[in-house]
Amino acid sequence: MTFSRRSILALLTAAAVTGMTASVSFADEVNVGDVIDKFTKIRSMSGEFVQFDYKGNPSEGTFAILRPGMARFDYRKGGLNILADGKTVAVENRRLKTWDLYPLSRTPLNLLLGDRIDLTKGIIKYVVEKDGLIAVMLADQKTFGNSTIEIFFDKNTNELRQWTLLDEARRETTVVVHNLKVNTPLPKHVFRIPYKEIRERN
């Protein structure tokens, strides 16, 4: 499935409007528990992505996810790598030769990469269905303030299609994934953050 920038924005707008009308709105005939359960049972995932920043500028690259808490995003252009090792998110700018570190627990990625999503804690804000996709909005103000993550699944297959991060400045970053491989072995060293190198640079 391919997405144009216009179709992504249209879907996000529909989801945002629905989210404003009620604290939790469940799509007709959608069992959100089943969708989330099937998603979290995927222990590993890899593929390619196209990312749109808040200005609509696209970037491409490859990614890998290993539950719980591990992720790697390698950008083909722009000189960026993003690593999550279960505790920390590290952003490398290869051009500037800098690293920025953030606690994983304080980022919206913590929900995407979690071992499970506890539906009893009220972190699901709404679920909507449009054009064959299911959109699930997740938020946990105690963990990362007003930032949110919205995950989009194929309605028929429950496969992950994209997610959108909305930061506290209300800036959106949308990531569309394709050519997915799921539940294939991924070595943990792929997600290793070079703390010694980072300390020496700083």
Side-chain angles (χ1 to χ4, degrees), residues 1 10 15 31-32 35-36 40 42 48-49 51 65 84 88 100-103 114 119 121 131 134 153 166 188 196 199:
M1 178 181 292
N31 187 323
V32 64
V35 175
I36 294 297
T40 54
I42 296 175
E48 300 177 73
F49 70 86
Q51 174 180 304
I65 289 174
T88 302
D100 293 307
L101 302 180
Y102 309 91
L119 301 182
K121 292 185 177 181
D131 296 334
I134 303 297
F153 303 91
L166 184 67
K188 291 187 178 180
K196 181 178 180 181
R199 288 194 297 267

PDB file of all heavy atoms in Angstrom, residues 1 10 15 31-32 35-36 40 42 48-49 51 65 84 88 100-103 114 119 121 131 134 153 166 188 196 199:
ATOM      1  N   MET A   1       0.854  -1.198   0.000  1.00  0.00           N
ATOM      2  CA  MET A   1       0.000   0.000   0.000  1.00  0.00           C
ATOM      3  C   MET A   1       0.881   1.236   0.000  1.00  0.00           C
ATOM      4  O   MET A   1       1.841   1.336   0.746  1.00  0.00           O
ATOM      5  CB  MET A   1      -0.895   0.012   1.238  1.00  0.00           C
ATOM      6  CG  MET A   1      -1.789   1.245   1.344  1.00  0.00           C
ATOM      7  SD  MET A   1      -2.817   1.222   2.833  1.00  0.00           S
ATOM      8  CE  MET A   1      -3.917  -0.120   2.460  1.00  0.00           C
ATOM      9  N   ALA A  10      -5.261  13.772   5.211  1.00  0.00           N
ATOM     10  CA  ALA A  10      -6.713  13.625   5.282  1.00  0.00           C
ATOM     11  C   ALA A  10      -7.106  12.658   6.384  1.00  0.00           C
ATOM     12  O   ALA A  10      -8.044  12.908   7.144  1.00  0.00           O
ATOM     13  CB  ALA A  10      -7.258  13.146   3.938  1.00  0.00           C
ATOM     14  N   ALA A  15      -9.084  11.723  12.004  1.00  0.00           N
ATOM     15  CA  ALA A  15      -8.855  11.162  13.334  1.00  0.00           C
ATOM     16  C   ALA A  15      -8.862  12.242  14.401  1.00  0.00           C
ATOM     17  O   ALA A  15      -9.415  12.071  15.489  1.00  0.00           O
ATOM     18  CB  ALA A  15      -7.521  10.415  13.355  1.00  0.00           C
ATOM     19  N   ASN A  31     -12.497  -4.478  17.238  1.00  0.00           N
ATOM     20  CA  ASN A  31     -12.101  -4.925  18.571  1.00  0.00           C
ATOM     21  C   ASN A  31     -10.680  -4.452  18.801  1.00  0.00           C
ATOM     22  O   ASN A  31      -9.725  -5.069  18.343  1.00  0.00           O
ATOM     23  CB  ASN A  31     -12.205  -6.446  18.671  1.00  0.00           C
ATOM     24  CG  ASN A  31     -11.977  -6.938  20.095  1.00  0.00           C
ATOM     25  OD1 ASN A  31     -11.150  -6.403  20.820  1.00  0.00           O
ATOM     26  ND2 ASN A  31     -12.716  -7.961  20.479  1.00  0.00           N
ATOM     27  N   VAL A  32     -10.533  -3.319  19.493  1.00  0.00           N
ATOM     28  CA  VAL A  32      -9.217  -2.722  19.650  1.00  0.00           C
ATOM     29  C   VAL A  32      -8.285  -3.645  20.419  1.00  0.00           C
ATOM     30  O   VAL A  32      -7.083  -3.688  20.165  1.00  0.00           O
ATOM     31  CB  VAL A  32      -9.321  -1.346  20.339  1.00  0.00           C
ATOM     32  CG1 VAL A  32      -9.857  -1.463  21.756  1.00  0.00           C
ATOM     33  CG2 VAL A  32      -7.972  -0.638  20.341  1.00  0.00           C
ATOM     34  N   VAL A  35      -6.715  -5.989  17.930  1.00  0.00           N
ATOM     35  CA  VAL A  35      -5.737  -5.305  17.085  1.00  0.00           C
ATOM     36  C   VAL A  35      -4.429  -5.097  17.837  1.00  0.00           C
ATOM     37  O   VAL A  35      -3.339  -5.410  17.338  1.00  0.00           O
ATOM     38  CB  VAL A  35      -6.294  -3.958  16.585  1.00  0.00           C
ATOM     39  CG1 VAL A  35      -5.221  -3.181  15.811  1.00  0.00           C
ATOM     40  CG2 VAL A  35      -7.506  -4.171  15.700  1.00  0.00           C
ATOM     41  N   ILE A  36      -4.526  -4.560  19.054  1.00  0.00           N
ATOM     42  CA  ILE A  36      -3.331  -4.306  19.856  1.00  0.00           C
ATOM     43  C   ILE A  36      -2.630  -5.602  20.214  1.00  0.00           C
ATOM     44  O   ILE A  36      -1.398  -5.703  20.194  1.00  0.00           O
ATOM     45  CB  ILE A  36      -3.702  -3.518  21.122  1.00  0.00           C
ATOM     46  CG1 ILE A  36      -4.192  -2.112  20.750  1.00  0.00           C
ATOM     47  CG2 ILE A  36      -2.521  -3.420  22.077  1.00  0.00           C
ATOM     48  CD1 ILE A  36      -3.169  -1.249  20.061  1.00  0.00           C
ATOM     49  N   THR A  40       1.268  -6.415  19.390  1.00  0.00           N
ATOM     50  CA  THR A  40       2.306  -6.635  20.395  1.00  0.00           C
ATOM     51  C   THR A  40       2.861  -8.055  20.350  1.00  0.00           C
ATOM     52  O   THR A  40       3.944  -8.311  20.880  1.00  0.00           O
ATOM     53  CB  THR A  40       1.783  -6.324  21.807  1.00  0.00           C
ATOM     54  OG1 THR A  40       0.590  -7.079  22.054  1.00  0.00           O
ATOM     55  CG2 THR A  40       1.482  -4.842  21.958  1.00  0.00           C
ATOM     56  N   ILE A  42       3.878  -9.354  17.700  1.00  0.00           N
ATOM     57  CA  ILE A  42       4.986  -9.267  16.746  1.00  0.00           C
ATOM     58  C   ILE A  42       6.236  -8.888  17.529  1.00  0.00           C
ATOM     59  O   ILE A  42       6.367  -7.768  18.013  1.00  0.00           O
ATOM     60  CB  ILE A  42       4.699  -8.226  15.648  1.00  0.00           C
ATOM     61  CG1 ILE A  42       3.495  -8.654  14.812  1.00  0.00           C
ATOM     62  CG2 ILE A  42       5.924  -8.040  14.755  1.00  0.00           C
ATOM     63  CD1 ILE A  42       3.076  -7.622  13.794  1.00  0.00           C
ATOM     64  N   GLU A  48      11.454  -0.971   5.351  1.00  0.00           N
ATOM     65  CA  GLU A  48      11.815   0.360   4.893  1.00  0.00           C
ATOM     66  C   GLU A  48      10.758   1.364   5.349  1.00  0.00           C
ATOM     67  O   GLU A  48       9.622   0.989   5.634  1.00  0.00           O
ATOM     68  CB  GLU A  48      11.930   0.381   3.368  1.00  0.00           C
ATOM     69  CG  GLU A  48      12.977  -0.579   2.822  1.00  0.00           C
ATOM     70  CD  GLU A  48      13.001  -0.581   1.313  1.00  0.00           C
ATOM     71  OE1 GLU A  48      13.500   0.412   0.730  1.00  0.00           O
ATOM     72  OE2 GLU A  48      12.522  -1.565   0.725  1.00  0.00           O
ATOM     73  N   PHE A  49      11.150   2.626   5.410  1.00  0.00           N
ATOM     74  CA  PHE A  49      10.195   3.653   5.836  1.00  0.00           C
ATOM     75  C   PHE A  49      10.361   4.918   5.015  1.00  0.00           C
ATOM     76  O   PHE A  49      11.421   5.182   4.433  1.00  0.00           O
ATOM     77  CB  PHE A  49      10.364   3.977   7.326  1.00  0.00           C
ATOM     78  CG  PHE A  49      11.644   4.706   7.668  1.00  0.00           C
ATOM     79  CD1 PHE A  49      11.720   6.101   7.594  1.00  0.00           C
ATOM     80  CD2 PHE A  49      12.768   4.010   8.079  1.00  0.00           C
ATOM     81  CE1 PHE A  49      12.886   6.776   7.915  1.00  0.00           C
ATOM     82  CE2 PHE A  49      13.951   4.666   8.401  1.00  0.00           C
ATOM     83  CZ  PHE A  49      14.009   6.046   8.321  1.00  0.00           C
ATOM     84  N   GLN A  51       9.536   8.900   6.002  1.00  0.00           N
ATOM     85  CA  GLN A  51       9.158   9.783   7.106  1.00  0.00           C
ATOM     86  C   GLN A  51       8.856  11.179   6.576  1.00  0.00           C
ATOM     87  O   GLN A  51       9.616  11.723   5.771  1.00  0.00           O
ATOM     88  CB  GLN A  51      10.293   9.857   8.130  1.00  0.00           C
ATOM     89  CG  GLN A  51      10.056  10.864   9.242  1.00  0.00           C
ATOM     90  CD  GLN A  51      11.204  10.897  10.223  1.00  0.00           C
ATOM     91  OE1 GLN A  51      11.569   9.892  10.804  1.00  0.00           O
ATOM     92  NE2 GLN A  51      11.787  12.081  10.411  1.00  0.00           N
ATOM     93  N   ILE A  65      12.882  -3.266  14.544  1.00  0.00           N
ATOM     94  CA  ILE A  65      12.300  -3.191  15.876  1.00  0.00           C
ATOM     95  C   ILE A  65      12.387  -4.563  16.521  1.00  0.00           C
ATOM     96  O   ILE A  65      12.095  -5.581  15.888  1.00  0.00           O
ATOM     97  CB  ILE A  65      10.829  -2.732  15.813  1.00  0.00           C
ATOM     98  CG1 ILE A  65      10.742  -1.246  15.424  1.00  0.00           C
ATOM     99  CG2 ILE A  65      10.111  -2.964  17.144  1.00  0.00           C
ATOM    100  CD1 ILE A  65       9.326  -0.764  15.205  1.00  0.00           C
ATOM    101  N   ALA A  84      17.464   2.727  19.836  1.00  0.00           N
ATOM    102  CA  ALA A  84      16.841   2.542  21.148  1.00  0.00           C
ATOM    103  C   ALA A  84      17.277   1.175  21.649  1.00  0.00           C
ATOM    104  O   ALA A  84      17.120   0.169  20.937  1.00  0.00           O
ATOM    105  CB  ALA A  84      15.326   2.627  21.058  1.00  0.00           C
ATOM    106  N   THR A  88      17.347   3.696  26.558  1.00  0.00           N
ATOM    107  CA  THR A  88      17.713   5.021  26.057  1.00  0.00           C
ATOM    108  C   THR A  88      17.443   5.106  24.559  1.00  0.00           C
ATOM    109  O   THR A  88      17.573   4.121  23.839  1.00  0.00           O
ATOM    110  CB  THR A  88      19.212   5.282  26.313  1.00  0.00           C
ATOM    111  OG1 THR A  88      19.479   5.176  27.711  1.00  0.00           O
ATOM    112  CG2 THR A  88      19.627   6.671  25.824  1.00  0.00           C
ATOM    113  N   ASP A 100      22.662  12.793  20.799  1.00  0.00           N
ATOM    114  CA  ASP A 100      21.729  13.266  21.815  1.00  0.00           C
ATOM    115  C   ASP A 100      21.041  12.043  22.424  1.00  0.00           C
ATOM    116  O   ASP A 100      20.575  11.163  21.692  1.00  0.00           O
ATOM    117  CB  ASP A 100      20.671  14.200  21.222  1.00  0.00           C
ATOM    118  CG  ASP A 100      21.273  15.507  20.729  1.00  0.00           C
ATOM    119  OD1 ASP A 100      21.973  16.158  21.527  1.00  0.00           O
ATOM    120  OD2 ASP A 100      21.048  15.860  19.563  1.00  0.00           O
ATOM    121  N   LEU A 101      20.966  11.995  23.746  1.00  0.00           N
ATOM    122  CA  LEU A 101      20.405  10.858  24.459  1.00  0.00           C
ATOM    123  C   LEU A 101      19.147  11.263  25.216  1.00  0.00           C
ATOM    124  O   LEU A 101      19.098  12.333  25.828  1.00  0.00           O
ATOM    125  CB  LEU A 101      21.431  10.285  25.451  1.00  0.00           C
ATOM    126  CG  LEU A 101      22.772   9.819  24.879  1.00  0.00           C
ATOM    127  CD1 LEU A 101      23.658   9.295  25.994  1.00  0.00           C
ATOM    128  CD2 LEU A 101      22.566   8.761  23.809  1.00  0.00           C
ATOM    129  N   TYR A 102      18.135  10.387  25.181  1.00  0.00           N
ATOM    130  CA  TYR A 102      16.868  10.619  25.865  1.00  0.00           C
ATOM    131  C   TYR A 102      16.421   9.323  26.535  1.00  0.00           C
ATOM    132  O   TYR A 102      16.586   8.236  25.955  1.00  0.00           O
ATOM    133  CB  TYR A 102      15.779  11.058  24.875  1.00  0.00           C
ATOM    134  CG  TYR A 102      16.166  12.209  23.984  1.00  0.00           C
ATOM    135  CD1 TYR A 102      16.755  11.978  22.735  1.00  0.00           C
ATOM    136  CD2 TYR A 102      15.953  13.528  24.376  1.00  0.00           C
ATOM    137  CE1 TYR A 102      17.113  13.026  21.909  1.00  0.00           C
ATOM    138  CE2 TYR A 102      16.305  14.590  23.551  1.00  0.00           C
ATOM    139  CZ  TYR A 102      16.886  14.333  22.320  1.00  0.00           C
ATOM    140  OH  TYR A 102      17.252  15.372  21.501  1.00  0.00           O
ATOM    141  N   PRO A 103      15.835   9.399  27.734  1.00  0.00           N
ATOM    142  CA  PRO A 103      15.278   8.185  28.330  1.00  0.00           C
ATOM    143  C   PRO A 103      14.121   7.665  27.475  1.00  0.00           C
ATOM    144  O   PRO A 103      13.215   8.416  27.134  1.00  0.00           O
ATOM    145  CB  PRO A 103      14.783   8.659  29.707  1.00  0.00           C
ATOM    146  CG  PRO A 103      15.490   9.945  29.961  1.00  0.00           C
ATOM    147  CD  PRO A 103      15.708  10.576  28.620  1.00  0.00           C
ATOM    148  N   GLY A 114       6.738  -1.096  23.417  1.00  0.00           N
ATOM    149  CA  GLY A 114       6.467  -1.786  24.671  1.00  0.00           C
ATOM    150  C   GLY A 114       6.199  -3.271  24.500  1.00  0.00           C
ATOM    151  O   GLY A 114       5.743  -3.729  23.446  1.00  0.00           O
ATOM    152  N   LEU A 119      -4.458  -1.926  28.322  1.00  0.00           N
ATOM    153  CA  LEU A 119      -5.677  -1.222  27.937  1.00  0.00           C
ATOM    154  C   LEU A 119      -6.449  -0.691  29.137  1.00  0.00           C
ATOM    155  O   LEU A 119      -7.347   0.123  28.986  1.00  0.00           O
ATOM    156  CB  LEU A 119      -6.581  -2.147  27.115  1.00  0.00           C
ATOM    157  CG  LEU A 119      -5.973  -2.709  25.827  1.00  0.00           C
ATOM    158  CD1 LEU A 119      -6.990  -3.576  25.100  1.00  0.00           C
ATOM    159  CD2 LEU A 119      -5.477  -1.600  24.922  1.00  0.00           C
ATOM    160  N   LYS A 121      -5.261   1.164  31.539  1.00  0.00           N
ATOM    161  CA  LYS A 121      -4.704   2.408  32.056  1.00  0.00           C
ATOM    162  C   LYS A 121      -5.219   3.644  31.342  1.00  0.00           C
ATOM    163  O   LYS A 121      -4.805   4.762  31.644  1.00  0.00           O
ATOM    164  CB  LYS A 121      -3.166   2.368  31.984  1.00  0.00           C
ATOM    165  CG  LYS A 121      -2.550   1.360  32.951  1.00  0.00           C
ATOM    166  CD  LYS A 121      -1.044   1.445  32.930  1.00  0.00           C
ATOM    167  CE  LYS A 121      -0.434   0.495  33.952  1.00  0.00           C
ATOM    168  NZ  LYS A 121       1.056   0.573  33.965  1.00  0.00           N
ATOM    169  N   ASP A 131     -11.100   4.364   5.271  1.00  0.00           N
ATOM    170  CA  ASP A 131     -10.411   3.924   4.056  1.00  0.00           C
ATOM    171  C   ASP A 131      -9.579   2.663   4.284  1.00  0.00           C
ATOM    172  O   ASP A 131      -8.447   2.539   3.784  1.00  0.00           O
ATOM    173  CB  ASP A 131      -9.513   5.042   3.515  1.00  0.00           C
ATOM    174  CG  ASP A 131     -10.308   6.256   3.065  1.00  0.00           C
ATOM    175  OD1 ASP A 131     -11.496   6.074   2.705  1.00  0.00           O
ATOM    176  OD2 ASP A 131      -9.762   7.368   3.085  1.00  0.00           O
ATOM    177  N   ILE A 134      -7.233   1.298  10.448  1.00  0.00           N
ATOM    178  CA  ILE A 134      -7.647   1.527  11.828  1.00  0.00           C
ATOM    179  C   ILE A 134      -6.609   2.432  12.475  1.00  0.00           C
ATOM    180  O   ILE A 134      -5.407   2.133  12.446  1.00  0.00           O
ATOM    181  CB  ILE A 134      -7.737   0.211  12.623  1.00  0.00           C
ATOM    182  CG1 ILE A 134      -8.700  -0.765  11.954  1.00  0.00           C
ATOM    183  CG2 ILE A 134      -8.162   0.490  14.058  1.00  0.00           C
ATOM    184  CD1 ILE A 134     -10.126  -0.289  11.896  1.00  0.00           C
ATOM    185  N   PHE A 153      -3.230   0.687  11.404  1.00  0.00           N
ATOM    186  CA  PHE A 153      -3.177  -0.715  11.011  1.00  0.00           C
ATOM    187  C   PHE A 153      -4.086  -0.954   9.813  1.00  0.00           C
ATOM    188  O   PHE A 153      -5.102  -0.281   9.649  1.00  0.00           O
ATOM    189  CB  PHE A 153      -3.653  -1.617  12.153  1.00  0.00           C
ATOM    190  CG  PHE A 153      -2.886  -1.460  13.433  1.00  0.00           C
ATOM    191  CD1 PHE A 153      -3.297  -0.559  14.401  1.00  0.00           C
ATOM    192  CD2 PHE A 153      -1.755  -2.221  13.679  1.00  0.00           C
ATOM    193  CE1 PHE A 153      -2.601  -0.410  15.589  1.00  0.00           C
ATOM    194  CE2 PHE A 153      -1.048  -2.082  14.864  1.00  0.00           C
ATOM    195  CZ  PHE A 153      -1.469  -1.175  15.817  1.00  0.00           C
ATOM    196  N   LEU A 166       3.187  13.148  17.655  1.00  0.00           N
ATOM    197  CA  LEU A 166       2.806  14.551  17.829  1.00  0.00           C
ATOM    198  C   LEU A 166       3.476  15.041  19.101  1.00  0.00           C
ATOM    199  O   LEU A 166       3.166  14.574  20.199  1.00  0.00           O
ATOM    200  CB  LEU A 166       1.287  14.688  17.935  1.00  0.00           C
ATOM    201  CG  LEU A 166       0.730  16.114  18.021  1.00  0.00           C
ATOM    202  CD1 LEU A 166       0.973  16.869  16.720  1.00  0.00           C
ATOM    203  CD2 LEU A 166      -0.763  16.080  18.341  1.00  0.00           C
ATOM    204  N   LYS A 188      20.757  -8.606  18.920  1.00  0.00           N
ATOM    205  CA  LYS A 188      20.641  -7.448  19.801  1.00  0.00           C
ATOM    206  C   LYS A 188      21.755  -6.426  19.587  1.00  0.00           C
ATOM    207  O   LYS A 188      21.563  -5.243  19.891  1.00  0.00           O
ATOM    208  CB  LYS A 188      20.607  -7.907  21.257  1.00  0.00           C
ATOM    209  CG  LYS A 188      19.331  -8.644  21.634  1.00  0.00           C
ATOM    210  CD  LYS A 188      19.286  -8.927  23.122  1.00  0.00           C
ATOM    211  CE  LYS A 188      17.978  -9.619  23.504  1.00  0.00           C
ATOM    212  NZ  LYS A 188      17.901  -9.905  24.955  1.00  0.00           N
ATOM    213  N   LYS A 196      30.562   4.497  25.175  1.00  0.00           N
ATOM    214  CA  LYS A 196      31.966   4.902  25.354  1.00  0.00           C
ATOM    215  C   LYS A 196      32.359   5.938  24.309  1.00  0.00           C
ATOM    216  O   LYS A 196      32.978   6.957  24.626  1.00  0.00           O
ATOM    217  CB  LYS A 196      32.874   3.678  25.268  1.00  0.00           C
ATOM    218  CG  LYS A 196      34.343   4.013  25.468  1.00  0.00           C
ATOM    219  CD  LYS A 196      35.192   2.749  25.418  1.00  0.00           C
ATOM    220  CE  LYS A 196      36.666   3.100  25.610  1.00  0.00           C
ATOM    221  NZ  LYS A 196      37.531   1.879  25.533  1.00  0.00           N
ATOM    222  N   ARG A 199      30.743   9.272  25.172  1.00  0.00           N
ATOM    223  CA  ARG A 199      31.426   9.968  26.274  1.00  0.00           C
ATOM    224  C   ARG A 199      32.723  10.603  25.798  1.00  0.00           C
ATOM    225  O   ARG A 199      33.065  11.725  26.191  1.00  0.00           O
ATOM    226  CB  ARG A 199      31.702   8.996  27.413  1.00  0.00           C
ATOM    227  CG  ARG A 199      30.473   8.580  28.205  1.00  0.00           C
ATOM    228  CD  ARG A 199      30.840   7.900  29.498  1.00  0.00           C
ATOM    229  NE  ARG A 199      31.572   6.650  29.240  1.00  0.00           N
ATOM    230  CZ  ARG A 199      30.988   5.455  29.147  1.00  0.00           C
ATOM    231  NH1 ARG A 199      29.674   5.360  29.265  1.00  0.00           N
ATOM    232  NH2 ARG A 199      31.705   4.383  28.925  1.00  0.00           N
TER     233      ARG A 199
END
